[in-house]
Amino acid sequence: MATFSINLKDGSVEQPKPVIVGIDLGTTNSLVAYMKDGRSTCVKGKDGKSTLVPSIVHFAQNEEIIVGDAAKTKLETDPANTIYSVKRLMGKSFKDVREQQDFFGYQILDDDTDSLVKIRVKTRFYTPVELSALILKELKNRIENELGTAVSKAVITVPAYFNDNQRQATRDAGKLAGLDVLRIVNEPTAAALAYGLGNEEGRTETIAVYDLGGGTFDISILRIENGIFEVLSTNGDTFLGGDDFDRVIVDFWLKQLSAPHSSDGFMSSDEWIKNKEFGQQIRLLAEAAKKALSSVEVFEGELNGRKVSLTRATFEGLIEPFVRRTLDCCKNALRDAKLDVGQIDKVVMVGGSTRVPLVKKSVSGFFQKTVFDSLDPDEVVALGAAIQADILAGNQKDLLLLDVTPLSLGIETVGGLMDVIIPRNSKIPTKAGRQYTTSVDGQKNLKISVYQGERDLVEHNRKLGEFILKGIPPMPAGLPKIDIQFILNADGILFVRARELRSNLEQHIEIRPTYGISEEEMALMLLDSIQNAQTDMQSRSLLEARNEANNLLLSGDKFLQQHNEILSESEKATTQALLKALREATKGEDKDAIHRAIEELNEYTAPLAHRALDATIRQAMRGKKV
Ligand code: ADP
Ligand code: MG
């Protein structure tokens, strides 16, 4: 099925030095980029013309599979065998796309509505993963041609809203194309990376990434803190983009050409549309006009020997409703992120359609900011992916990127238990947090001790540091809300922050967990945790049994008080005795003894509890005279 086309110029099978490439697998266009002499660079095709590979696959009559520009020319002439926009189908079932079926000019299989979508081409069926793999293979060939060596590792970008299925499908496509996908990166994150945003240590920035492509619009609001990108919200329209701009130009020209005063309106617009070759021509000319109008004021062209023209002002009038719709999405994204326009620090422009001056002007006006647009908007996502790839390759001097945390990170909680906040093997950078409270009335200070390791009791783990959150306003135990955040950035630096949410009191420390610990020591700690798993589990279950017993003791005492009148003297005495036995058991080290005492108490008091319940119900009924 999948042929692995490794393209080696010199015929050798050795890899001199591994390159990790960045790939933007787009709905309309795809690109591949890599670090060339310290600069992220997109790779052009053999003809040296464009860095874009149209995301289109054509299955030719002679069984040949054509990808990219050559396939694009078949869109109109052989739509059934020319697959575009396959990204829209990634990880989707037929049910998911049933409503959009008309959009696709090719056949989507609908035999089993719950299974994943398949596409029929001639007598064969293809999955979106296989088709995407064909595009990825084309990109792989392109970079291998450029470098003259095999390439097998990549970072691939996906929209921020992609779910796990869609991300997994993208990974699978990579694998099928012979690429080891080291990381899936969000497109807006890649775009921000390309502009070098988020590199300033200790700065928190909020960024809007406005991505208007060929057929889709995405707006993402990101927060970057200590090199960690967090998606605050996403919004957009999966059927809004540059294709709509082309379409309104086509409609405009068709009206112009078929107008009664037109010199030779010999064809109705319906006939024009049916004429595939003409349809193709007018669409291509419309796209050319649109692109030209991004830099000139008037476009003049020829269609079948007749003159057509379009001014920028007319064009802007035609597309204004689409632009307005994108701004509505921006509003919604801000609302979901609970931010207002003034809180956005930077705006990044992505996607070919952001070259349109009206788009740029409108977005800049909406956010009241100059937008970031100095990089090629078609390339910016791929450029960022290549930077991410380079970081993963360990080539960025100031960025030592540990891919995963080797040991769990957490804090000490009641009873000396380790509460893991970032588990071992978490991908980094990462961020995690949890809320705690105080255990004593009026508690003013809270000590936060940070540990590393896999054992259940902190005393067996490695202490990384501690700090005290001082001056918590006096409150009853359990009322303060103390939020503890662990932020592990790409350099492997751990930032621990404690914040009392009612008073906004805050304290933090920075630790380098891998500092002063060797690989061997880490291995030993792991080994240690495995060897001690048994005893660790025992100590943990003893602590947990004690907690359960303490809760039961409290409710037992309450029960005796509340139902004094329905219990006989001997029942009271026996319950007292069982409570006492349980209290004794909690003082010992034997968790089984505690469990036995819990059971005995429960067994004896269960019928009493039933009777108490009955009595309560009877009492309630008595009040209800019919
Ligand atoms: P996607 O992310 O969906 O793959 P792209 O970011 O590659 O899409 O954007 C493709 C769109 O950008 C097409 O509709 C194309 O016509 C449009 N486009 C490219 N260059 C220009 C330009 N100079 N002016 C206006 N639109 C442009
Ligand atoms: Mg894109």
PDB file of all heavy atoms in Angstrom, residues 24-31 52 55 87 187 211-216 241-243 245-246 287 290-292 294 350-356 377-378, ligand 1:
ATOM      1  N   ASP A  24       3.787  22.334   7.668  1.00  0.00           N
ATOM      2  CA  ASP A  24       2.446  22.894   7.780  1.00  0.00           C
ATOM      3  C   ASP A  24       1.572  22.114   6.809  1.00  0.00           C
ATOM      4  O   ASP A  24       1.689  22.267   5.596  1.00  0.00           O
ATOM      5  CB  ASP A  24       2.480  24.394   7.415  1.00  0.00           C
ATOM      6  CG  ASP A  24       1.086  25.011   7.297  1.00  0.00           C
ATOM      7  OD1 ASP A  24       0.093  24.320   7.601  1.00  0.00           O
ATOM      8  OD2 ASP A  24       1.001  26.186   6.887  1.00  0.00           O
ATOM      9  N   LEU A  25       0.743  21.233   7.346  1.00  0.00           N
ATOM     10  CA  LEU A  25      -0.150  20.424   6.511  1.00  0.00           C
ATOM     11  C   LEU A  25      -1.479  21.167   6.437  1.00  0.00           C
ATOM     12  O   LEU A  25      -2.330  21.019   7.311  1.00  0.00           O
ATOM     13  CB  LEU A  25      -0.301  19.038   7.154  1.00  0.00           C
ATOM     14  CG  LEU A  25      -1.090  17.975   6.406  1.00  0.00           C
ATOM     15  CD1 LEU A  25      -0.498  17.668   5.050  1.00  0.00           C
ATOM     16  CD2 LEU A  25      -1.173  16.698   7.241  1.00  0.00           C
ATOM     17  N   GLY A  26      -1.620  21.998   5.389  1.00  0.00           N
ATOM     18  CA  GLY A  26      -2.759  22.908   5.328  1.00  0.00           C
ATOM     19  C   GLY A  26      -3.951  22.348   4.568  1.00  0.00           C
ATOM     20  O   GLY A  26      -3.842  21.336   3.877  1.00  0.00           O
ATOM     21  N   THR A  27      -5.086  23.022   4.701  1.00  0.00           N
ATOM     22  CA  THR A  27      -6.289  22.633   3.966  1.00  0.00           C
ATOM     23  C   THR A  27      -6.100  22.930   2.483  1.00  0.00           C
ATOM     24  O   THR A  27      -6.454  22.131   1.625  1.00  0.00           O
ATOM     25  CB  THR A  27      -7.506  23.438   4.473  1.00  0.00           C
ATOM     26  OG1 THR A  27      -7.522  23.369   5.887  1.00  0.00           O
ATOM     27  CG2 THR A  27      -8.792  22.887   3.916  1.00  0.00           C
ATOM     28  N   THR A  28      -5.519  24.086   2.185  1.00  0.00           N
ATOM     29  CA  THR A  28      -5.348  24.516   0.804  1.00  0.00           C
ATOM     30  C   THR A  28      -3.919  24.257   0.326  1.00  0.00           C
ATOM     31  O   THR A  28      -3.704  23.714  -0.744  1.00  0.00           O
ATOM     32  CB  THR A  28      -5.634  26.037   0.684  1.00  0.00           C
ATOM     33  OG1 THR A  28      -6.798  26.334   1.431  1.00  0.00           O
ATOM     34  CG2 THR A  28      -5.820  26.433  -0.758  1.00  0.00           C
ATOM     35  N   ASN A  29      -2.964  24.656   1.149  1.00  0.00           N
ATOM     36  CA  ASN A  29      -1.552  24.527   0.784  1.00  0.00           C
ATOM     37  C   ASN A  29      -0.748  23.930   1.936  1.00  0.00           C
ATOM     38  O   ASN A  29      -1.059  24.170   3.096  1.00  0.00           O
ATOM     39  CB  ASN A  29      -0.968  25.909   0.463  1.00  0.00           C
ATOM     40  CG  ASN A  29      -1.603  26.526  -0.759  1.00  0.00           C
ATOM     41  OD1 ASN A  29      -1.606  25.935  -1.835  1.00  0.00           O
ATOM     42  ND2 ASN A  29      -2.160  27.710  -0.597  1.00  0.00           N
ATOM     43  N   SER A  30       0.296  23.188   1.583  1.00  0.00           N
ATOM     44  CA  SER A  30       1.193  22.629   2.588  1.00  0.00           C
ATOM     45  C   SER A  30       2.619  23.065   2.291  1.00  0.00           C
ATOM     46  O   SER A  30       2.950  23.352   1.138  1.00  0.00           O
ATOM     47  CB  SER A  30       1.107  21.102   2.589  1.00  0.00           C
ATOM     48  OG  SER A  30      -0.201  20.701   2.924  1.00  0.00           O
ATOM     49  N   LEU A  31       3.427  23.128   3.338  1.00  0.00           N
ATOM     50  CA  LEU A  31       4.820  23.553   3.161  1.00  0.00           C
ATOM     51  C   LEU A  31       5.735  22.762   4.086  1.00  0.00           C
ATOM     52  O   LEU A  31       5.298  22.255   5.117  1.00  0.00           O
ATOM     53  CB  LEU A  31       5.001  25.026   3.528  1.00  0.00           C
ATOM     54  CG  LEU A  31       4.186  26.093   2.820  1.00  0.00           C
ATOM     55  CD1 LEU A  31       2.923  26.370   3.574  1.00  0.00           C
ATOM     56  CD2 LEU A  31       5.013  27.357   2.662  1.00  0.00           C
ATOM     57  N   LEU A  52       4.876  26.745  -1.782  1.00  0.00           N
ATOM     58  CA  LEU A  52       3.581  26.123  -1.484  1.00  0.00           C
ATOM     59  C   LEU A  52       3.370  24.848  -2.294  1.00  0.00           C
ATOM     60  O   LEU A  52       3.654  24.820  -3.484  1.00  0.00           O
ATOM     61  CB  LEU A  52       2.435  27.080  -1.821  1.00  0.00           C
ATOM     62  CG  LEU A  52       2.406  28.441  -1.141  1.00  0.00           C
ATOM     63  CD1 LEU A  52       1.212  29.235  -1.627  1.00  0.00           C
ATOM     64  CD2 LEU A  52       2.336  28.269   0.361  1.00  0.00           C
ATOM     65  N   SER A  55      -2.525  21.353  -1.440  1.00  0.00           N
ATOM     66  CA  SER A  55      -2.870  20.091  -0.766  1.00  0.00           C
ATOM     67  C   SER A  55      -3.903  19.334  -1.594  1.00  0.00           C
ATOM     68  O   SER A  55      -5.035  19.148  -1.168  1.00  0.00           O
ATOM     69  CB  SER A  55      -3.414  20.373   0.634  1.00  0.00           C
ATOM     70  OG  SER A  55      -2.522  21.187   1.356  1.00  0.00           O
ATOM     71  N   LYS A  87      -7.960  17.685   4.671  1.00  0.00           N
ATOM     72  CA  LYS A  87      -7.762  17.999   6.085  1.00  0.00           C
ATOM     73  C   LYS A  87      -9.107  18.128   6.823  1.00  0.00           C
ATOM     74  O   LYS A  87      -9.207  17.840   8.011  1.00  0.00           O
ATOM     75  CB  LYS A  87      -6.987  19.311   6.192  1.00  0.00           C
ATOM     76  CG  LYS A  87      -6.547  19.684   7.593  1.00  0.00           C
ATOM     77  CD  LYS A  87      -5.671  20.923   7.541  1.00  0.00           C
ATOM     78  CE  LYS A  87      -5.246  21.406   8.902  1.00  0.00           C
ATOM     79  NZ  LYS A  87      -4.368  22.578   8.794  1.00  0.00           N
ATOM     80  N   GLU A 187      -1.046  25.370  15.157  1.00  0.00           N
ATOM     81  CA  GLU A 187      -0.666  26.351  14.134  1.00  0.00           C
ATOM     82  C   GLU A 187      -0.434  27.749  14.721  1.00  0.00           C
ATOM     83  O   GLU A 187       0.584  28.387  14.414  1.00  0.00           O
ATOM     84  CB  GLU A 187      -1.727  26.387  13.021  1.00  0.00           C
ATOM     85  CG  GLU A 187      -1.630  25.149  12.127  1.00  0.00           C
ATOM     86  CD  GLU A 187      -2.889  24.867  11.321  1.00  0.00           C
ATOM     87  OE1 GLU A 187      -3.769  25.741  11.252  1.00  0.00           O
ATOM     88  OE2 GLU A 187      -2.990  23.757  10.770  1.00  0.00           O
ATOM     89  N   ASP A 211      -5.935  33.826  11.443  1.00  0.00           N
ATOM     90  CA  ASP A 211      -5.497  32.969  10.343  1.00  0.00           C
ATOM     91  C   ASP A 211      -6.611  32.826   9.309  1.00  0.00           C
ATOM     92  O   ASP A 211      -7.574  32.085   9.509  1.00  0.00           O
ATOM     93  CB  ASP A 211      -5.089  31.601  10.911  1.00  0.00           C
ATOM     94  CG  ASP A 211      -4.570  30.646   9.828  1.00  0.00           C
ATOM     95  OD1 ASP A 211      -4.723  30.949   8.630  1.00  0.00           O
ATOM     96  OD2 ASP A 211      -4.018  29.585  10.194  1.00  0.00           O
ATOM     97  N   LEU A 212      -6.464  33.546   8.199  1.00  0.00           N
ATOM     98  CA  LEU A 212      -7.446  33.459   7.117  1.00  0.00           C
ATOM     99  C   LEU A 212      -6.780  32.793   5.919  1.00  0.00           C
ATOM    100  O   LEU A 212      -5.926  33.368   5.255  1.00  0.00           O
ATOM    101  CB  LEU A 212      -7.958  34.863   6.765  1.00  0.00           C
ATOM    102  CG  LEU A 212      -9.167  34.934   5.824  1.00  0.00           C
ATOM    103  CD1 LEU A 212     -10.383  34.222   6.392  1.00  0.00           C
ATOM    104  CD2 LEU A 212      -9.510  36.383   5.507  1.00  0.00           C
ATOM    105  N   GLY A 213      -7.174  31.531   5.681  1.00  0.00           N
ATOM    106  CA  GLY A 213      -6.546  30.752   4.611  1.00  0.00           C
ATOM    107  C   GLY A 213      -7.416  30.718   3.376  1.00  0.00           C
ATOM    108  O   GLY A 213      -8.138  31.685   3.084  1.00  0.00           O
ATOM    109  N   GLY A 214      -7.378  29.587   2.656  1.00  0.00           N
ATOM    110  CA  GLY A 214      -8.157  29.461   1.435  1.00  0.00           C
ATOM    111  C   GLY A 214      -9.626  29.194   1.726  1.00  0.00           C
ATOM    112  O   GLY A 214     -10.505  29.815   1.139  1.00  0.00           O
ATOM    113  N   GLY A 215      -9.871  28.252   2.631  1.00  0.00           N
ATOM    114  CA  GLY A 215     -11.259  27.880   2.880  1.00  0.00           C
ATOM    115  C   GLY A 215     -11.668  27.951   4.329  1.00  0.00           C
ATOM    116  O   GLY A 215     -12.810  27.648   4.678  1.00  0.00           O
ATOM    117  N   THR A 216     -10.736  28.315   5.203  1.00  0.00           N
ATOM    118  CA  THR A 216     -11.060  28.300   6.630  1.00  0.00           C
ATOM    119  C   THR A 216     -10.542  29.556   7.317  1.00  0.00           C
ATOM    120  O   THR A 216      -9.549  30.145   6.902  1.00  0.00           O
ATOM    121  CB  THR A 216     -10.400  27.093   7.337  1.00  0.00           C
ATOM    122  OG1 THR A 216      -8.996  27.164   7.106  1.00  0.00           O
ATOM    123  CG2 THR A 216     -10.951  25.784   6.833  1.00  0.00           C
ATOM    124  N   GLY A 241     -13.097  31.841   3.701  1.00  0.00           N
ATOM    125  CA  GLY A 241     -11.700  32.077   3.352  1.00  0.00           C
ATOM    126  C   GLY A 241     -11.548  32.695   1.981  1.00  0.00           C
ATOM    127  O   GLY A 241     -12.524  33.179   1.387  1.00  0.00           O
ATOM    128  N   GLY A 242     -10.336  32.651   1.480  1.00  0.00           N
ATOM    129  CA  GLY A 242     -10.008  33.265   0.201  1.00  0.00           C
ATOM    130  C   GLY A 242     -10.827  32.718  -0.960  1.00  0.00           C
ATOM    131  O   GLY A 242     -11.085  33.436  -1.938  1.00  0.00           O
ATOM    132  N   ASP A 243     -11.260  31.449  -0.868  1.00  0.00           N
ATOM    133  CA  ASP A 243     -12.095  30.883  -1.932  1.00  0.00           C
ATOM    134  C   ASP A 243     -13.382  31.683  -2.092  1.00  0.00           C
ATOM    135  O   ASP A 243     -13.901  31.826  -3.200  1.00  0.00           O
ATOM    136  CB  ASP A 243     -12.454  29.425  -1.609  1.00  0.00           C
ATOM    137  CG  ASP A 243     -11.227  28.539  -1.531  1.00  0.00           C
ATOM    138  OD1 ASP A 243     -10.155  28.975  -2.005  1.00  0.00           O
ATOM    139  OD2 ASP A 243     -11.334  27.422  -0.990  1.00  0.00           O
ATOM    140  N   PHE A 245     -13.665  34.856  -1.581  1.00  0.00           N
ATOM    141  CA  PHE A 245     -13.300  36.085  -2.288  1.00  0.00           C
ATOM    142  C   PHE A 245     -13.287  35.818  -3.800  1.00  0.00           C
ATOM    143  O   PHE A 245     -13.790  36.612  -4.588  1.00  0.00           O
ATOM    144  CB  PHE A 245     -11.920  36.604  -1.850  1.00  0.00           C
ATOM    145  CG  PHE A 245     -11.810  36.956  -0.383  1.00  0.00           C
ATOM    146  CD1 PHE A 245     -10.597  37.392   0.145  1.00  0.00           C
ATOM    147  CD2 PHE A 245     -12.906  36.876   0.474  1.00  0.00           C
ATOM    148  CE1 PHE A 245     -10.478  37.727   1.484  1.00  0.00           C
ATOM    149  CE2 PHE A 245     -12.797  37.215   1.818  1.00  0.00           C
ATOM    150  CZ  PHE A 245     -11.571  37.628   2.327  1.00  0.00           C
ATOM    151  N   ASP A 246     -12.689  34.674  -4.196  1.00  0.00           N
ATOM    152  CA  ASP A 246     -12.635  34.325  -5.618  1.00  0.00           C
ATOM    153  C   ASP A 246     -14.053  34.192  -6.171  1.00  0.00           C
ATOM    154  O   ASP A 246     -14.353  34.661  -7.256  1.00  0.00           O
ATOM    155  CB  ASP A 246     -11.899  32.986  -5.824  1.00  0.00           C
ATOM    156  CG  ASP A 246     -10.492  33.001  -5.254  1.00  0.00           C
ATOM    157  OD1 ASP A 246     -10.004  34.093  -4.911  1.00  0.00           O
ATOM    158  OD2 ASP A 246      -9.892  31.917  -5.144  1.00  0.00           O
ATOM    159  N   GLU A 287      -8.827  34.611  -9.016  1.00  0.00           N
ATOM    160  CA  GLU A 287      -7.806  34.514  -7.963  1.00  0.00           C
ATOM    161  C   GLU A 287      -6.630  35.428  -8.295  1.00  0.00           C
ATOM    162  O   GLU A 287      -6.092  36.111  -7.414  1.00  0.00           O
ATOM    163  CB  GLU A 287      -7.338  33.066  -7.760  1.00  0.00           C
ATOM    164  CG  GLU A 287      -6.472  32.928  -6.506  1.00  0.00           C
ATOM    165  CD  GLU A 287      -5.953  31.513  -6.237  1.00  0.00           C
ATOM    166  OE1 GLU A 287      -6.266  30.598  -7.010  1.00  0.00           O
ATOM    167  OE2 GLU A 287      -5.223  31.357  -5.234  1.00  0.00           O
ATOM    168  N   LYS A 290      -7.622  38.967  -7.507  1.00  0.00           N
ATOM    169  CA  LYS A 290      -7.611  39.176  -6.061  1.00  0.00           C
ATOM    170  C   LYS A 290      -6.189  39.404  -5.568  1.00  0.00           C
ATOM    171  O   LYS A 290      -5.930  40.334  -4.802  1.00  0.00           O
ATOM    172  CB  LYS A 290      -8.229  37.948  -5.382  1.00  0.00           C
ATOM    173  CG  LYS A 290      -8.103  37.938  -3.875  1.00  0.00           C
ATOM    174  CD  LYS A 290      -8.611  36.637  -3.284  1.00  0.00           C
ATOM    175  CE  LYS A 290      -7.602  35.500  -3.518  1.00  0.00           C
ATOM    176  NZ  LYS A 290      -8.048  34.242  -2.848  1.00  0.00           N
ATOM    177  N   LYS A 291      -5.274  38.548  -6.015  1.00  0.00           N
ATOM    178  CA  LYS A 291      -3.884  38.667  -5.563  1.00  0.00           C
ATOM    179  C   LYS A 291      -3.276  39.981  -6.043  1.00  0.00           C
ATOM    180  O   LYS A 291      -2.585  40.661  -5.285  1.00  0.00           O
ATOM    181  CB  LYS A 291      -3.052  37.484  -6.065  1.00  0.00           C
ATOM    182  CG  LYS A 291      -3.400  36.183  -5.351  1.00  0.00           C
ATOM    183  CD  LYS A 291      -2.501  35.051  -5.810  1.00  0.00           C
ATOM    184  CE  LYS A 291      -2.832  33.757  -5.085  1.00  0.00           C
ATOM    185  NZ  LYS A 291      -2.095  32.623  -5.657  1.00  0.00           N
ATOM    186  N   ALA A 292      -3.563  40.329  -7.304  1.00  0.00           N
ATOM    187  CA  ALA A 292      -3.000  41.566  -7.852  1.00  0.00           C
ATOM    188  C   ALA A 292      -3.508  42.766  -7.059  1.00  0.00           C
ATOM    189  O   ALA A 292      -2.746  43.691  -6.759  1.00  0.00           O
ATOM    190  CB  ALA A 292      -3.374  41.695  -9.323  1.00  0.00           C
ATOM    191  N   SER A 294      -4.068  43.067  -4.117  1.00  0.00           N
ATOM    192  CA  SER A 294      -3.406  43.249  -2.827  1.00  0.00           C
ATOM    193  C   SER A 294      -2.282  44.274  -2.952  1.00  0.00           C
ATOM    194  O   SER A 294      -1.829  44.827  -1.958  1.00  0.00           O
ATOM    195  CB  SER A 294      -2.850  41.921  -2.308  1.00  0.00           C
ATOM    196  OG  SER A 294      -3.915  41.083  -1.897  1.00  0.00           O
ATOM    197  N   VAL A 350      -1.762  35.382   9.830  1.00  0.00           N
ATOM    198  CA  VAL A 350      -1.396  34.110   9.216  1.00  0.00           C
ATOM    199  C   VAL A 350      -2.360  33.828   8.069  1.00  0.00           C
ATOM    200  O   VAL A 350      -3.542  34.184   8.145  1.00  0.00           O
ATOM    201  CB  VAL A 350      -1.492  32.961  10.245  1.00  0.00           C
ATOM    202  CG1 VAL A 350      -1.078  31.631   9.616  1.00  0.00           C
ATOM    203  CG2 VAL A 350      -0.646  33.240  11.474  1.00  0.00           C
ATOM    204  N   GLY A 351      -1.874  33.133   7.024  1.00  0.00           N
ATOM    205  CA  GLY A 351      -2.736  32.708   5.926  1.00  0.00           C
ATOM    206  C   GLY A 351      -2.675  33.680   4.754  1.00  0.00           C
ATOM    207  O   GLY A 351      -2.623  34.899   4.945  1.00  0.00           O
ATOM    208  N   GLY A 352      -2.690  33.120   3.548  1.00  0.00           N
ATOM    209  CA  GLY A 352      -2.529  33.909   2.332  1.00  0.00           C
ATOM    210  C   GLY A 352      -3.518  35.058   2.215  1.00  0.00           C
ATOM    211  O   GLY A 352      -3.186  36.122   1.688  1.00  0.00           O
ATOM    212  N   SER A 353      -4.737  34.855   2.732  1.00  0.00           N
ATOM    213  CA  SER A 353      -5.769  35.878   2.542  1.00  0.00           C
ATOM    214  C   SER A 353      -5.571  37.107   3.421  1.00  0.00           C
ATOM    215  O   SER A 353      -6.253  38.112   3.227  1.00  0.00           O
ATOM    216  CB  SER A 353      -7.142  35.272   2.798  1.00  0.00           C
ATOM    217  OG  SER A 353      -7.357  34.198   1.922  1.00  0.00           O
ATOM    218  N   THR A 354      -4.640  37.046   4.365  1.00  0.00           N
ATOM    219  CA  THR A 354      -4.390  38.244   5.175  1.00  0.00           C
ATOM    220  C   THR A 354      -3.544  39.255   4.396  1.00  0.00           C
ATOM    221  O   THR A 354      -3.254  40.330   4.902  1.00  0.00           O
ATOM    222  CB  THR A 354      -3.692  37.916   6.519  1.00  0.00           C
ATOM    223  OG1 THR A 354      -2.445  37.278   6.251  1.00  0.00           O
ATOM    224  CG2 THR A 354      -4.552  37.017   7.382  1.00  0.00           C
ATOM    225  N   ARG A 355      -3.157  38.899   3.160  1.00  0.00           N
ATOM    226  CA  ARG A 355      -2.455  39.878   2.322  1.00  0.00           C
ATOM    227  C   ARG A 355      -3.413  40.940   1.806  1.00  0.00           C
ATOM    228  O   ARG A 355      -3.010  42.001   1.382  1.00  0.00           O
ATOM    229  CB  ARG A 355      -1.823  39.183   1.123  1.00  0.00           C
ATOM    230  CG  ARG A 355      -0.606  38.387   1.477  1.00  0.00           C
ATOM    231  CD  ARG A 355       0.360  38.379   0.294  1.00  0.00           C
ATOM    232  NE  ARG A 355       1.448  37.477   0.559  1.00  0.00           N
ATOM    233  CZ  ARG A 355       1.358  36.174   0.373  1.00  0.00           C
ATOM    234  NH1 ARG A 355       0.252  35.653  -0.100  1.00  0.00           N
ATOM    235  NH2 ARG A 355       2.377  35.398   0.654  1.00  0.00           N
ATOM    236  N   VAL A 356      -4.694  40.626   1.799  1.00  0.00           N
ATOM    237  CA  VAL A 356      -5.686  41.584   1.301  1.00  0.00           C
ATOM    238  C   VAL A 356      -5.672  42.817   2.216  1.00  0.00           C
ATOM    239  O   VAL A 356      -5.887  42.691   3.423  1.00  0.00           O
ATOM    240  CB  VAL A 356      -7.091  40.935   1.295  1.00  0.00           C
ATOM    241  CG1 VAL A 356      -8.156  41.947   0.931  1.00  0.00           C
ATOM    242  CG2 VAL A 356      -7.105  39.739   0.352  1.00  0.00           C
ATOM    243  N   PRO A 377       2.785  35.423   5.110  1.00  0.00           N
ATOM    244  CA  PRO A 377       1.693  34.785   5.868  1.00  0.00           C
ATOM    245  C   PRO A 377       1.404  33.348   5.438  1.00  0.00           C
ATOM    246  O   PRO A 377       0.816  32.576   6.196  1.00  0.00           O
ATOM    247  CB  PRO A 377       0.484  35.683   5.593  1.00  0.00           C
ATOM    248  CG  PRO A 377       0.792  36.363   4.309  1.00  0.00           C
ATOM    249  CD  PRO A 377       2.292  36.523   4.269  1.00  0.00           C
ATOM    250  N   ASP A 378       1.823  32.975   4.226  1.00  0.00           N
ATOM    251  CA  ASP A 378       1.664  31.581   3.792  1.00  0.00           C
ATOM    252  C   ASP A 378       2.661  30.696   4.517  1.00  0.00           C
ATOM    253  O   ASP A 378       2.420  29.518   4.749  1.00  0.00           O
ATOM    254  CB  ASP A 378       2.002  31.425   2.298  1.00  0.00           C
ATOM    255  CG  ASP A 378       1.017  32.126   1.409  1.00  0.00           C
ATOM    256  OD1 ASP A 378      -0.181  32.064   1.721  1.00  0.00           O
ATOM    257  OD2 ASP A 378       1.459  32.734   0.423  1.00  0.00           O
TER     258      ASP A 378
HETATM  259  P1  ADP B   1      -4.557  27.177   4.071  1.00  0.00           P
HETATM  260  O1  ADP B   1      -4.011  27.549   5.395  1.00  0.00           O
HETATM  261  O2  ADP B   1      -6.048  26.991   4.082  1.00  0.00           O
HETATM  262  O3  ADP B   1      -3.861  26.015   3.459  1.00  0.00           O
HETATM  263  P2  ADP B   1      -3.228  29.468   2.812  1.00  0.00           P
HETATM  264  O4  ADP B   1      -2.792  30.124   4.039  1.00  0.00           O
HETATM  265  O5  ADP B   1      -2.188  28.854   1.959  1.00  0.00           O
HETATM  266  O6  ADP B   1      -4.396  28.430   3.060  1.00  0.00           O
HETATM  267  O7  ADP B   1      -4.044  30.571   1.961  1.00  0.00           O
HETATM  268  C1  ADP B   1      -4.485  30.336   0.678  1.00  0.00           C
HETATM  269  C2  ADP B   1      -5.350  31.507   0.232  1.00  0.00           C
HETATM  270  O8  ADP B   1      -4.597  32.713   0.228  1.00  0.00           O
HETATM  271  C3  ADP B   1      -5.917  31.319  -1.154  1.00  0.00           C
HETATM  272  O9  ADP B   1      -7.298  31.642  -1.158  1.00  0.00           O
HETATM  273  C4  ADP B   1      -5.110  32.335  -1.952  1.00  0.00           C
HETATM  274  O10 ADP B   1      -5.840  32.812  -3.073  1.00  0.00           O
HETATM  275  C5  ADP B   1      -4.915  33.432  -0.955  1.00  0.00           C
HETATM  276  N1  ADP B   1      -3.830  34.358  -1.322  1.00  0.00           N
HETATM  277  C6  ADP B   1      -2.551  34.047  -1.596  1.00  0.00           C
HETATM  278  N2  ADP B   1      -1.856  35.156  -1.929  1.00  0.00           N
HETATM  279  C7  ADP B   1      -2.723  36.200  -1.874  1.00  0.00           C
HETATM  280  C8  ADP B   1      -2.610  37.609  -2.130  1.00  0.00           C
HETATM  281  N3  ADP B   1      -1.482  38.170  -2.536  1.00  0.00           N
HETATM  282  N4  ADP B   1      -3.716  38.375  -1.957  1.00  0.00           N
HETATM  283  C9  ADP B   1      -4.872  37.819  -1.568  1.00  0.00           C
HETATM  284  N5  ADP B   1      -5.038  36.503  -1.325  1.00  0.00           N
HETATM  285  C10 ADP B   1      -3.981  35.700  -1.472  1.00  0.00           C
END
